[in-house]
């Protein structure tokens, strides 16, 4: 019905429906999609922890930078393609919009194939570089050798979900991701415990879910809602690819920054852990679990931000600046609420959270409780930076988005992880987290305040005519 009304009036619902209603329609599927991505890792972590224990948990942490690189590529061409698509539609440039979608879809799968090949060739040196101790390496190789075969499907399904939402069908993208996650959840215990496949079973369950989700996205691309993809739109053209990358770069850099920090963090935990009462494997296992648990709430925040993207992008392109301000304000308030709830949970129930993923020594739980409470102490402020970074990308200002996406991870957290342990040992790694969060939040507040003043001026000029 909505599609028929749009065809009759020539109006896109992104520019007409109430902002709150649009955020619900687009943010909920985005949140589900992000949670599904986190769920793949959480489900594997849970069953691996129950069947293999500390070393298995440490192995998935060592492999985690590769999962982050997949998400980075999915966001580069998924968010970039979706932002380009919506901005073009807002400016009534439908022919350009369909090229953005076609080029983004092809680039997603192609880059996934490239990453798969590189990983298969250089797997062992990569895992050692990521911080794997000898005791963990065998588990990490078994797990990653199989999961890397699913990289093309993981990147295509995650990135393609953004294109599907941008095309105005957020519920279908949610169904695709949920289907893959549910398959993974069902197959994990079957393969790990029923068939006694261990790490290999967890990996196989993961890629089966990813392949099914990718197939559903591909089916949608054959019958898009607002455009028709033809073979010519799938031919990569530099002008479209570069524009897509420019708008997806902030989200890409944010993930790459997370990957770099994860690698440095793993090596620091291994080095300083070996010089502490905890040993080298306990901090790796604990930090891996905690980072994935934290990713659950952060996935909600990022999903909110991604739900903002098509709404802000379309209305900025259509010069409806009042709606642009409304969507940012409502989204950031929701993100701050989620972050505050996560902060309360992390401070009150740290041991209960870590206990979900299996038993461990007293040192294991001692480190985990301290790490959660200290490293995640400024969680309440984490809603601002990702929402603001995505907002800048959505309105076609990728340089600001890129800079802001790098503040927490590269400009603040990375140097602190290196410097603080020199004076405080492994405790220095814990205290680096909240300081980086506070600094990144302050930077985001300053930048968005300046941007809102500019948007208000644009609105005044537009109303004057």
């Amino acid at each position: 019905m909505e599609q028929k009304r749009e065809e009759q009036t020539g109006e896109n619902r992104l520019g007409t429906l109430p902002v709150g209603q649009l955020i619900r329609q687009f943010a909920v599927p985005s949140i589900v999609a992000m949670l599904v991505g986190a769920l793949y890792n959480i489900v594997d972590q849970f069953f691996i922890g129950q069947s293999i224990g500390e070393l298995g948990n440490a192995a998935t942490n060592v492999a985690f930078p590769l999962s982050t690189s997949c998400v980075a590529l999915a966001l580069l061409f998924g968010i970039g393609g979706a932002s380009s698509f919506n901005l073009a539609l807002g400016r009534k440039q439908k022919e350009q919009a369909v090229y953005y979608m076609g080029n983004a879809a092809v680039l997603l799968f192609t880059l996934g194939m490239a990453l798969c090949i590189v990983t298969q060739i250089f797997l062992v040196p990569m895992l050692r570089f990521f911080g794997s101790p000898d005791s963990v390496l065998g588990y990490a190789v078994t797990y990653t050798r199989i999961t890397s075969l699913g990289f093309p499907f993981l990147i295509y399904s995650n990135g393609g979900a953004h294109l599907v939402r941008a095309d105005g069908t957020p519920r279908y993208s949610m169904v695709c991701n949920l289907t893959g996650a549910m398959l993974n959840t069902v197959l994990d215990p079957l393969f790990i415990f029923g068939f006694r496949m261990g790490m290999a079973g967890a990996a196989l369950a993961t890629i089966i879910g990813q392949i099914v989700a990718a197939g559903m996205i591909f089916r949608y691309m054959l019958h898009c809602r607002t455009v028709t993809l033809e073979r010519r739109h799938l031919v990569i053209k530099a002008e479209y690819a570069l524009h897509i990358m420019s708008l997806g770069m902030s989200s890409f850099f944010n993930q790459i920054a997370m990957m770099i920090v994860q690698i440095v963090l793993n090596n620091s935990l291994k080095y300083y852990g070996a010089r502490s009462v905890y040993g080298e494997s306990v901090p790796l296992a604990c930090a891996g679990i905690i980072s994935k648990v934290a990713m659950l709430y952060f996935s909600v925040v990022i999903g909110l931000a991604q739900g903002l993207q098509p709404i802000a992008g379309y209305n900025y392109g259509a010069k409806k600046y009042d709606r642009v301000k409304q969507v940012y304000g409502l989204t950031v308030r929701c993100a701050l609420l989620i972050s505050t709830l996560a902060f309360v949970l992390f401070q009150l129930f740290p041991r209960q959270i870590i206990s979900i993923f299996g038993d461990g020594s007293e040192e294991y739980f001692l480190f985990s409780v301290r790490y959660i409470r200290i490293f995640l102490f400024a969680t309440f402020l984490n809603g601002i930076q990702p929402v603001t970074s995505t907002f800048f990308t959505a309105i076609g200002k990728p340089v600001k988005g890129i800079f802001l996406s790098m503040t927490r991870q590269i400009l603040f957290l990375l140097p602190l992880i290196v410097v603080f342990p020199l004076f405080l040992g492994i405790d220095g790694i814990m205290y680096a987290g909240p300081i980086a969060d506070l600094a990144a939040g302050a930077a985001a507040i300053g930048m968005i305040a300046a941007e809102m003043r500019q948007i208000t001026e644009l609105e005044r000029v537009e109303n004057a005519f």
Side-chain angles (χ1 to χ4, degrees):
M1 290 296 292
E2 288 178 353
Q3 187 173 1
K4 288 182 179 179
R5 283 197 296 268
E6 288 171 23
E7 291 171 354
Q8 291 170 358
T9 62
E11 283 284 349
N12 190 306
R13 60 177 171 155
L14 294 172
T16 58
L17 290 181
V19 166
Q21 181 180 342
L22 287 170
I23 290 176
R24 287 194 299 273
Q25 288 181 359
F26 283 85
V28 171
S30 299
I31 290 168
V32 170
M34 290 302 301
L35 285 173
V36 164
L39 188 61
Y40 275 111
N41 293 305
I42 287 287
V43 168
D44 282 359
Q45 193 87 59
F46 174 78
F47 288 113
I48 287 170
Q50 296 294 328
S51 63
I52 297 170
E54 273 181 30
L55 294 180
N57 283 329
T60 59
N61 186 31
V62 167
F64 197 53
L66 284 169
S67 297
T68 306
S69 67
C70 289
V71 176
L73 289 172
L75 294 179
L76 176 63
F77 297 107
I79 290 289
S83 298
S84 301
F85 179 84
N86 287 126
L87 284 168
L89 284 183
R91 295 168 182 150
K92 310 301 182 184
Q93 298 168 338
K94 192 169 184 177
E95 182 61 19
Q96 287 188 10
V98 68
Y99 268 107
Y100 287 131
M101 178 172 284
N103 275 228
V106 172
L107 287 165
L108 285 165
F109 194 80
T110 302
L111 269 294
M113 288 292 296
L115 182 61
C116 171
I117 293 169
V118 170
T119 302
Q120 290 289 331
I121 295 172
F122 300 106
L123 179 58
V124 173
M126 287 172 75
L127 292 175
R128 289 194 182 279
F129 178 70
F130 295 159
S132 176
D134 290 337
S135 59
V136 173
L137 185 61
Y139 294 106
V141 168
T142 298
Y143 183 75
T144 314
R145 182 75 72 187
I146 298 173
T147 55
S148 62
L149 297 176
F151 286 172
F153 306 100
L154 172 61
I155 293 170
Y156 180 79
S157 60
N158 281 3
H162 297 292
L163 300 176
V164 172
R165 283 194 295 274
D167 190 45
T169 316
R171 289 184 181 177
Y172 184 81
S173 68
M174 178 176 67
V175 171
C176 294
N177 286 289
L178 276 175
T179 301
M182 289 171 62
L183 269 175
N184 181 44
T185 304
V186 171
L187 294 177
D188 253 337
L190 176 64
F191 291 167
I192 293 173
F193 300 109
F195 297 158
R196 300 184 183 279
M197 296 175 67
M199 297 292 288
L204 184 60
T206 297
I207 66 170
I208 290 174
Q210 293 164 354
I211 290 170
V212 171
M216 294 176 70
I217 294 291
F218 178 76
R219 177 180 176 276
Y220 180 89
M221 291 292 179
L222 299 177
H223 309 283
C224 293
R225 182 174 186 268
T226 60
V227 297
T228 301
L229 274 175
E230 299 175 4
R231 186 172 298 178
R232 59 194 173 95
H233 300 131
L234 305 179
V235 178
I236 303 300
K237 294 189 176 183
E239 60 180 304
Y240 296 115
L242 290 174
H243 191 269
I244 289 169
M245 292 173 67
S246 71
L247 294 186
M249 200 63 74
S250 66
S251 299
F252 172 79
F253 275 132
N254 191 43
Q255 293 295 317
I256 291 299
M258 289 174 61
M259 184 182 74
I260 293 170
V261 169
Q262 186 71 42
I263 294 169
V264 174
L265 181 62
N266 285 349
N267 282 282
S268 296
L269 289 167
K270 174 185 171 184
Y271 178 83
Y272 290 103
R275 287 155 178 77
S276 71
V277 297
Y278 307 114
E280 64 179 12
S281 64
V282 165
L284 268 177
C286 296
I289 292 171
I290 293 163
S291 67
K292 289 166 187 173
V293 171
M295 186 55 68
L296 282 177
Y297 96 86
F298 208 59
S299 294
V300 178
V301 173
I302 294 174
L304 279 168
Q306 291 173 358
L308 160 151
Q309 176 267 317
I311 310 166
Y314 180 89
N315 285 284
Y316 193 86
K319 299 183 179 181
K320 297 183 177 183
Y321 299 115
D322 182 58
R323 290 174 64 81
V324 173
K325 292 190 292 184
Q326 286 180 46
V327 70
Y328 175 82
L330 183 54
T331 304
V332 81
R333 288 196 296 273
C334 292
L336 285 171
L337 175 61
I338 295 298
S339 297
T340 302
L341 291 174
F343 165 78
V344 172
L345 289 174
F346 293 148
Q347 295 302 310
L348 295 182
F349 307 107
R351 185 168 182 127
Q352 290 86 339
I353 291 171
I354 202 71
S355 297
I356 295 171
F357 300 93
D359 295 327
S361 63
E362 189 57 36
E363 287 79 11
Y364 174 83
F365 285 107
L366 177 64
F367 179 84
S368 298
V369 169
R370 295 190 71 238
Y371 191 90
I372 288 179
R373 283 183 169 156
I374 297 173
F375 194 80
L376 301 178
F377 183 76
T379 295
F380 60 88
L381 199 58
N382 280 350
I384 299 176
Q385 187 247 13
V387 170
T388 307
S389 175
T390 302
F391 176 77
F392 282 125
T393 298
I395 64 173
K397 297 189 176 183
V399 174
K400 290 182 178 180
I402 291 169
F403 171 79
L404 194 54
S405 70
M406 295 176 66
T407 52
R408 180 187 185 270
Q409 303 289 340
I410 297 298
L411 297 183
F412 303 131
L413 185 57
L414 187 59
L416 293 175
I417 287 175
V418 174
V419 174
F420 275 18
L422 297 175
F423 304 98
L424 301 172
I426 199 166
D427 286 355
I429 298 174
M430 302 184 196
Y431 288 106
I435 295 174
D437 288 336
L438 291 169
I445 291 170
M447 290 180 67
I448 194 61
E451 188 63 35
M452 285 300 169
R453 287 194 293 270
Q454 292 183 26
I455 291 175
T456 299
E457 180 60 22
L458 289 172
E459 183 181 18
R460 187 190 65 78
V461 172
E462 186 69 19
N463 291 337
F465 293 94

